mmCIF file with all atom_site columns, all heavy atoms in Angstrom:
data_model
loop_
_atom_site.group_PDB
_atom_site.id
_atom_site.type_symbol
_atom_site.label_atom_id
_atom_site.label_alt_id
_atom_site.label_comp_id
_atom_site.label_asym_id
_atom_site.label_entity_id
_atom_site.label_seq_id
_atom_site.pdbx_PDB_ins_code
_atom_site.Cartn_x
_atom_site.Cartn_y
_atom_site.Cartn_z
_atom_site.occupancy
_atom_site.B_iso_or_equiv
_atom_site.pdbx_formal_charge
_atom_site.auth_seq_id
_atom_site.auth_comp_id
_atom_site.auth_asym_id
_atom_site.auth_atom_id
_atom_site.pdbx_PDB_model_num
ATOM 1   N N   . LEU F 1 50  ? -9.569  -1.242 -8.446  1.00 0.00 ? 76  LEU F N   1
ATOM 2   C CA  . LEU F 1 50  ? -8.845  -2.476 -8.185  1.00 0.00 ? 76  LEU F CA  1
ATOM 3   C C   . LEU F 1 50  ? -7.943  -2.798 -9.372  1.00 0.00 ? 76  LEU F C   1
ATOM 4   O O   . LEU F 1 50  ? -8.402  -2.834 -10.511 1.00 0.00 ? 76  LEU F O   1
ATOM 5   C CB  . LEU F 1 50  ? -9.810  -3.641 -7.967  1.00 0.00 ? 76  LEU F CB  1
ATOM 6   C CG  . LEU F 1 50  ? -10.796 -3.550 -6.801  1.00 0.00 ? 76  LEU F CG  1
ATOM 7   C CD1 . LEU F 1 50  ? -11.610 -4.841 -6.733  1.00 0.00 ? 76  LEU F CD1 1
ATOM 8   C CD2 . LEU F 1 50  ? -10.077 -3.314 -5.496  1.00 0.00 ? 76  LEU F CD2 1
ATOM 9   N N   . LYS F 1 62  ? -14.139 0.046  -10.194 1.00 0.00 ? 88  LYS F N   1
ATOM 10  C CA  . LYS F 1 62  ? -13.436 0.067  -11.470 1.00 0.00 ? 88  LYS F CA  1
ATOM 11  C C   . LYS F 1 62  ? -12.394 -1.033 -11.417 1.00 0.00 ? 88  LYS F C   1
ATOM 12  O O   . LYS F 1 62  ? -11.737 -1.218 -10.396 1.00 0.00 ? 88  LYS F O   1
ATOM 13  C CB  . LYS F 1 62  ? -12.740 1.412  -11.686 1.00 0.00 ? 88  LYS F CB  1
ATOM 14  C CG  . LYS F 1 62  ? -13.661 2.556  -12.049 1.00 0.00 ? 88  LYS F CG  1
ATOM 15  C CD  . LYS F 1 62  ? -12.844 3.808  -12.360 1.00 0.00 ? 88  LYS F CD  1
ATOM 16  C CE  . LYS F 1 62  ? -13.739 4.948  -12.757 1.00 0.00 ? 88  LYS F CE  1
ATOM 17  N NZ  . LYS F 1 62  ? -12.962 6.189  -13.024 1.00 0.00 ? 88  LYS F NZ  1
ATOM 18  N N   . GLY F 1 67  ? -0.035  -5.132 -14.801 1.00 0.00 ? 93  GLY F N   1
ATOM 19  C CA  . GLY F 1 67  ? 1.074   -5.410 -15.691 1.00 0.00 ? 93  GLY F CA  1
ATOM 20  C C   . GLY F 1 67  ? 2.017   -6.435 -15.094 1.00 0.00 ? 93  GLY F C   1
ATOM 21  O O   . GLY F 1 67  ? 1.711   -7.063 -14.071 1.00 0.00 ? 93  GLY F O   1
ATOM 22  N N   . SER F 1 68  ? 3.193   -6.581 -15.702 1.00 0.00 ? 94  SER F N   1
ATOM 23  C CA  . SER F 1 68  ? 4.157   -7.582 -15.252 1.00 0.00 ? 94  SER F CA  1
ATOM 24  C C   . SER F 1 68  ? 4.836   -7.192 -13.948 1.00 0.00 ? 94  SER F C   1
ATOM 25  O O   . SER F 1 68  ? 5.370   -8.043 -13.236 1.00 0.00 ? 94  SER F O   1
ATOM 26  C CB  . SER F 1 68  ? 5.225   -7.802 -16.341 1.00 0.00 ? 94  SER F CB  1
ATOM 27  O OG  . SER F 1 68  ? 5.890   -6.581 -16.643 1.00 0.00 ? 94  SER F OG  1
ATOM 28  N N   . ARG F 1 70  ? 4.454   -4.437 -10.342 1.00 0.00 ? 96  ARG F N   1
ATOM 29  C CA  . ARG F 1 70  ? 3.491   -3.618 -9.602  1.00 0.00 ? 96  ARG F CA  1
ATOM 30  C C   . ARG F 1 70  ? 3.445   -2.194 -10.145 1.00 0.00 ? 96  ARG F C   1
ATOM 31  O O   . ARG F 1 70  ? 2.376   -1.600 -10.282 1.00 0.00 ? 96  ARG F O   1
ATOM 32  C CB  . ARG F 1 70  ? 3.873   -3.601 -8.118  1.00 0.00 ? 96  ARG F CB  1
ATOM 33  C CG  . ARG F 1 70  ? 2.913   -2.777 -7.242  1.00 0.00 ? 96  ARG F CG  1
ATOM 34  C CD  . ARG F 1 70  ? 3.439   -2.685 -5.810  1.00 0.00 ? 96  ARG F CD  1
ATOM 35  N NE  . ARG F 1 70  ? 2.502   -1.988 -4.933  1.00 0.00 ? 96  ARG F NE  1
ATOM 36  C CZ  . ARG F 1 70  ? 2.415   -0.666 -4.827  1.00 0.00 ? 96  ARG F CZ  1
ATOM 37  N NH1 . ARG F 1 70  ? 3.210   0.114  -5.582  1.00 0.00 ? 96  ARG F NH1 1
ATOM 38  N NH2 . ARG F 1 70  ? 1.548   -0.112 -3.998  1.00 0.00 ? 96  ARG F NH2 1
ATOM 39  N N   . ILE F 1 74  ? 0.107   -0.099 -11.311 1.00 0.00 ? 100 ILE F N   1
ATOM 40  C CA  . ILE F 1 74  ? -0.371  1.166  -10.750 1.00 0.00 ? 100 ILE F CA  1
ATOM 41  C C   . ILE F 1 74  ? -0.463  2.231  -11.836 1.00 0.00 ? 100 ILE F C   1
ATOM 42  O O   . ILE F 1 74  ? -1.398  3.044  -11.860 1.00 0.00 ? 100 ILE F O   1
ATOM 43  C CB  . ILE F 1 74  ? 0.551   1.642  -9.605  1.00 0.00 ? 100 ILE F CB  1
ATOM 44  C CG1 . ILE F 1 74  ? 0.574   0.602  -8.473  1.00 0.00 ? 100 ILE F CG1 1
ATOM 45  C CG2 . ILE F 1 74  ? 0.082   2.994  -9.071  1.00 0.00 ? 100 ILE F CG2 1
ATOM 46  C CD1 . ILE F 1 74  ? -0.772  0.280  -7.869  1.00 0.00 ? 100 ILE F CD1 1
ATOM 47  N N   . GLU F 1 109 ? -3.057  14.640 5.913   1.00 0.00 ? 135 GLU F N   1
ATOM 48  C CA  . GLU F 1 109 ? -1.678  15.076 5.674   1.00 0.00 ? 135 GLU F CA  1
ATOM 49  C C   . GLU F 1 109 ? -1.445  15.377 4.192   1.00 0.00 ? 135 GLU F C   1
ATOM 50  O O   . GLU F 1 109 ? -0.730  16.336 3.852   1.00 0.00 ? 135 GLU F O   1
ATOM 51  C CB  . GLU F 1 109 ? -0.699  14.002 6.148   1.00 0.00 ? 135 GLU F CB  1
ATOM 52  C CG  . GLU F 1 109 ? 0.766   14.417 6.075   1.00 0.00 ? 135 GLU F CG  1
ATOM 53  C CD  . GLU F 1 109 ? 1.078   15.648 6.900   1.00 0.00 ? 135 GLU F CD  1
ATOM 54  O OE1 . GLU F 1 109 ? 0.734   15.677 8.102   1.00 0.00 ? 135 GLU F OE1 1
ATOM 55  O OE2 . GLU F 1 109 ? 1.648   16.597 6.331   1.00 0.00 ? 135 GLU F OE2 1
ATOM 56  N N   . GLU F 1 111 ? -3.702  16.431 2.105   1.00 0.00 ? 137 GLU F N   1
ATOM 57  C CA  . GLU F 1 111 ? -4.377  17.704 1.844   1.00 0.00 ? 137 GLU F CA  1
ATOM 58  C C   . GLU F 1 111 ? -3.482  18.883 2.222   1.00 0.00 ? 137 GLU F C   1
ATOM 59  O O   . GLU F 1 111 ? -3.503  19.930 1.573   1.00 0.00 ? 137 GLU F O   1
ATOM 60  C CB  . GLU F 1 111 ? -5.691  17.770 2.621   1.00 0.00 ? 137 GLU F CB  1
ATOM 61  C CG  . GLU F 1 111 ? -6.763  16.835 2.083   1.00 0.00 ? 137 GLU F CG  1
ATOM 62  C CD  . GLU F 1 111 ? -7.993  16.773 2.964   1.00 0.00 ? 137 GLU F CD  1
ATOM 63  O OE1 . GLU F 1 111 ? -7.889  17.082 4.179   1.00 0.00 ? 137 GLU F OE1 1
ATOM 64  O OE2 . GLU F 1 111 ? -9.062  16.411 2.463   1.00 0.00 ? 137 GLU F OE2 1
ATOM 65  N N   . LYS F 1 112 ? -2.662  18.680 3.246   1.00 0.00 ? 138 LYS F N   1
ATOM 66  C CA  . LYS F 1 112 ? -1.790  19.747 3.735   1.00 0.00 ? 138 LYS F CA  1
ATOM 67  C C   . LYS F 1 112 ? -0.436  19.769 3.030   1.00 0.00 ? 138 LYS F C   1
ATOM 68  O O   . LYS F 1 112 ? 0.071   20.834 2.671   1.00 0.00 ? 138 LYS F O   1
ATOM 69  C CB  . LYS F 1 112 ? -1.585  19.580 5.245   1.00 0.00 ? 138 LYS F CB  1
ATOM 70  C CG  . LYS F 1 112 ? -0.744  20.658 5.877   1.00 0.00 ? 138 LYS F CG  1
ATOM 71  C CD  . LYS F 1 112 ? -0.733  20.544 7.400   1.00 0.00 ? 138 LYS F CD  1
ATOM 72  C CE  . LYS F 1 112 ? -0.043  19.282 7.857   1.00 0.00 ? 138 LYS F CE  1
ATOM 73  N NZ  . LYS F 1 112 ? 0.094   19.222 9.333   1.00 0.00 ? 138 LYS F NZ  1
ATOM 74  N N   . THR F 1 125 ? 17.821  -2.656 15.641  1.00 0.00 ? 151 THR F N   1
ATOM 75  C CA  . THR F 1 125 ? 19.018  -1.989 15.143  1.00 0.00 ? 151 THR F CA  1
ATOM 76  C C   . THR F 1 125 ? 19.286  -2.464 13.722  1.00 0.00 ? 151 THR F C   1
ATOM 77  O O   . THR F 1 125 ? 19.252  -3.663 13.436  1.00 0.00 ? 151 THR F O   1
ATOM 78  C CB  . THR F 1 125 ? 20.234  -2.306 16.030  1.00 0.00 ? 151 THR F CB  1
ATOM 79  O OG1 . THR F 1 125 ? 20.005  -1.771 17.340  1.00 0.00 ? 151 THR F OG1 1
ATOM 80  C CG2 . THR F 1 125 ? 21.510  -1.708 15.458  1.00 0.00 ? 151 THR F CG2 1
ATOM 81  N N   . LYS F 1 127 ? 21.811  -2.710 10.412  1.00 0.00 ? 153 LYS F N   1
ATOM 82  C CA  . LYS F 1 127 ? 23.203  -2.688 9.976   1.00 0.00 ? 153 LYS F CA  1
ATOM 83  C C   . LYS F 1 127 ? 23.265  -2.642 8.449   1.00 0.00 ? 153 LYS F C   1
ATOM 84  O O   . LYS F 1 127 ? 22.488  -3.313 7.766   1.00 0.00 ? 153 LYS F O   1
ATOM 85  C CB  . LYS F 1 127 ? 23.951  -3.937 10.454  1.00 0.00 ? 153 LYS F CB  1
ATOM 86  C CG  . LYS F 1 127 ? 23.969  -4.142 11.971  1.00 0.00 ? 153 LYS F CG  1
ATOM 87  C CD  . LYS F 1 127 ? 24.913  -3.171 12.656  1.00 0.00 ? 153 LYS F CD  1
ATOM 88  C CE  . LYS F 1 127 ? 25.024  -3.492 14.143  1.00 0.00 ? 153 LYS F CE  1
ATOM 89  N NZ  . LYS F 1 127 ? 25.913  -2.537 14.855  1.00 0.00 ? 153 LYS F NZ  1
ATOM 90  N N   . ILE F 1 157 ? 0.815   15.154 -9.120  1.00 0.00 ? 183 ILE F N   1
ATOM 91  C CA  . ILE F 1 157 ? 2.195   14.836 -8.743  1.00 0.00 ? 183 ILE F CA  1
ATOM 92  C C   . ILE F 1 157 ? 2.521   13.376 -9.022  1.00 0.00 ? 183 ILE F C   1
ATOM 93  O O   . ILE F 1 157 ? 3.556   13.051 -9.629  1.00 0.00 ? 183 ILE F O   1
ATOM 94  C CB  . ILE F 1 157 ? 2.437   15.169 -7.251  1.00 0.00 ? 183 ILE F CB  1
ATOM 95  C CG1 . ILE F 1 157 ? 2.401   16.682 -7.035  1.00 0.00 ? 183 ILE F CG1 1
ATOM 96  C CG2 . ILE F 1 157 ? 3.780   14.589 -6.778  1.00 0.00 ? 183 ILE F CG2 1
ATOM 97  C CD1 . ILE F 1 157 ? 2.549   17.103 -5.584  1.00 0.00 ? 183 ILE F CD1 1
ATOM 98  N N   . SER F 1 177 ? 9.006   6.463  -3.899  1.00 0.00 ? 203 SER F N   1
ATOM 99  C CA  . SER F 1 177 ? 10.357  6.567  -4.455  1.00 0.00 ? 203 SER F CA  1
ATOM 100 C C   . SER F 1 177 ? 10.344  7.264  -5.812  1.00 0.00 ? 203 SER F C   1
ATOM 101 O O   . SER F 1 177 ? 11.320  7.913  -6.196  1.00 0.00 ? 203 SER F O   1
ATOM 102 C CB  . SER F 1 177 ? 11.004  5.177  -4.573  1.00 0.00 ? 203 SER F CB  1
ATOM 103 O OG  . SER F 1 177 ? 10.323  4.364  -5.509  1.00 0.00 ? 203 SER F OG  1
ATOM 104 N N   . GLU F 1 180 ? 10.026  10.996 -4.928  1.00 0.00 ? 206 GLU F N   1
ATOM 105 C CA  . GLU F 1 180 ? 11.277  11.508 -4.344  1.00 0.00 ? 206 GLU F CA  1
ATOM 106 C C   . GLU F 1 180 ? 12.275  11.890 -5.431  1.00 0.00 ? 206 GLU F C   1
ATOM 107 O O   . GLU F 1 180 ? 13.068  12.827 -5.253  1.00 0.00 ? 206 GLU F O   1
ATOM 108 C CB  . GLU F 1 180 ? 11.875  10.444 -3.413  1.00 0.00 ? 206 GLU F CB  1
ATOM 109 C CG  . GLU F 1 180 ? 11.045  10.188 -2.163  1.00 0.00 ? 206 GLU F CG  1
ATOM 110 C CD  . GLU F 1 180 ? 11.338  8.840  -1.525  1.00 0.00 ? 206 GLU F CD  1
ATOM 111 O OE1 . GLU F 1 180 ? 12.451  8.310  -1.730  1.00 0.00 ? 206 GLU F OE1 1
ATOM 112 O OE2 . GLU F 1 180 ? 10.435  8.292  -0.850  1.00 0.00 ? 206 GLU F OE2 1
ATOM 113 N N   . ILE F 1 184 ? 10.532  16.198 -4.556  1.00 0.00 ? 210 ILE F N   1
ATOM 114 C CA  . ILE F 1 184 ? 9.314   16.643 -3.870  1.00 0.00 ? 210 ILE F CA  1
ATOM 115 C C   . ILE F 1 184 ? 9.286   15.986 -2.499  1.00 0.00 ? 210 ILE F C   1
ATOM 116 O O   . ILE F 1 184 ? 9.506   14.780 -2.367  1.00 0.00 ? 210 ILE F O   1
ATOM 117 C CB  . ILE F 1 184 ? 8.063   16.269 -4.681  1.00 0.00 ? 210 ILE F CB  1
ATOM 118 C CG1 . ILE F 1 184 ? 8.060   17.027 -6.008  1.00 0.00 ? 210 ILE F CG1 1
ATOM 119 C CG2 . ILE F 1 184 ? 6.798   16.574 -3.888  1.00 0.00 ? 210 ILE F CG2 1
ATOM 120 C CD1 . ILE F 1 184 ? 6.923   16.646 -6.934  1.00 0.00 ? 210 ILE F CD1 1
#
Side-chain angles (χ1 to χ4, degrees):
L76 299 183
K88 285 185 179 178
S94 58
R96 181 186 184 277
I100 299 302
E135 186 59 52
E137 289 172 337
K138 182 172 66 174
T151 296
K153 301 286 186 182
I183 291 177
S203 65
E206 292 159 25
I210 295 175

